[in-house]
Amino acid sequence: MKVVAIVGSIRKESYNLKLAKFIQKRYQDRFELEILTLRDLPFYDQDIENDPPAAVKEFKGKVAAADAVLWVVPEYNATVPGVMVNAIDWMSRVDRVLNGKPSWIVGASMGLLGTVKAQGHLRDILFAQGVGSPLLPGNEVYVGVVHEKIDTEGNLTHEPTVKFLDSVVDNFINWYNQQAKIAVNK
């Protein structure tokens, strides 16, 4: 399975980027994970949506070619970061590359609740008309107090969190396979 990770932070030392890289490394025998950057995406502009810049075409092409999307969402001002919403705006227009694309969400923050509010908002966005990305039900991964759970090499070291993430990955793969069977039988 080919999965793209969309990380909602463009900060070089982002905890969410470190979490995506940990997932990429830990589960490399389960799926191929490519981490996409949002740094080069211009602001969504309806005037150019039919002929977007190369960075948008490349980004959308990678999402379209993937089997699934992993959303790695930080929480800014109790919601989804603007760069992530901008990417969704591009992906939900014209060829709508997210429509029907299975996805799942994880997120990390230094706060106690992880990214619970941002993930709730992201779930609402993913179900919006034009987006239509089926989402793994339940299995919310909120890594709170992340600065105490990731070491300097970017390894998630908090064993209960790692075990829970292992179970969510298993659940996602099983759910994805069920979705694929349903699609074949239609």
Side-chain angles (χ1 to χ4, degrees):
M1 174 178 13
K2 182 173 172 56
V3 180
V4 290
I6 299 176
V7 180
S9 173
I10 57 175
R11 188 171 69 91
K12 288 180 179 123
E13 294 298 318
S14 162
Y15 286 114
N16 284 279
L17 178 58
K18 290 177 182 181
L19 180 58
K21 288 179 178 179
F22 174 80
I23 291 169
Q24 182 182 48
K25 181 179 170 186
R26 182 168 180 87
Y27 306 107
Q28 63 187 337
D29 62 332
R30 309 285 309 275
F31 52 84
E32 177 187 340
L33 181 66
E34 180 179 4
I35 300 170
L36 304 182
T37 181
L38 303 180
R39 181 174 295 284
D40 299 326
L41 284 182
F43 290 124
Y44 168 75
D45 181 349
Q46 190 174 8
D47 291 339
I48 61 171
E49 71 179 8
N50 289 312
D51 188 23
V56 173
K57 289 177 184 176
E58 180 181 351
F59 182 84
K60 289 177 76 171
K62 287 181 178 188
V63 173
D67 298 310
V69 176
L70 168 61
W71 299 93
V72 189
V73 61
E75 188 169 290
Y76 296 172
N77 300 313
T79 195
V80 180
V83 292
M84 185 172 267
V85 173
N86 182 59
I88 294 169
D89 288 345
W90 279 114
M91 291 184 287
S92 68
R93 303 292 293 199
V94 185
D95 49 358
R96 298 181 176 176
V97 297
L98 288 175
N99 193 18
K101 185 81 60 182
S103 60
W104 53 304
I105 304 172
V106 301
S109 78
M110 293 173 64
L112 289 174
L113 298 177
T115 59
V116 66
K117 290 181 182 179
Q119 287 192 37
H121 294 163
L122 180 57
R123 286 175 184 281
D124 289 343
I125 294 167
L126 293 176
F127 289 124
Q129 186 176 13
V131 181
S133 180
L135 191 58
L136 175 67
N139 296 277
E140 288 87 2
V141 179
Y142 309 119
V143 183
V145 196
V146 67
H147 57 290
E148 296 178 6
K149 296 176 181 173
I150 289 186
D151 67 19
T152 56
E153 285 83 41
N155 295 307
L156 194 57
T157 58
H158 187 251
E159 197 57 37
T161 302
V162 174
K163 284 184 178 182
F164 180 70
L165 189 56
D166 288 345
S167 70
V168 170
V169 167
D170 289 341
N171 292 341
F172 179 75
I173 291 170
N174 291 334
W175 177 77
Y176 172 82
N177 289 332
Q178 289 173 350
Q179 295 298 308
K181 285 179 188 175
I182 291 169
V184 167
N185 291 329
K186 284 188 176 181

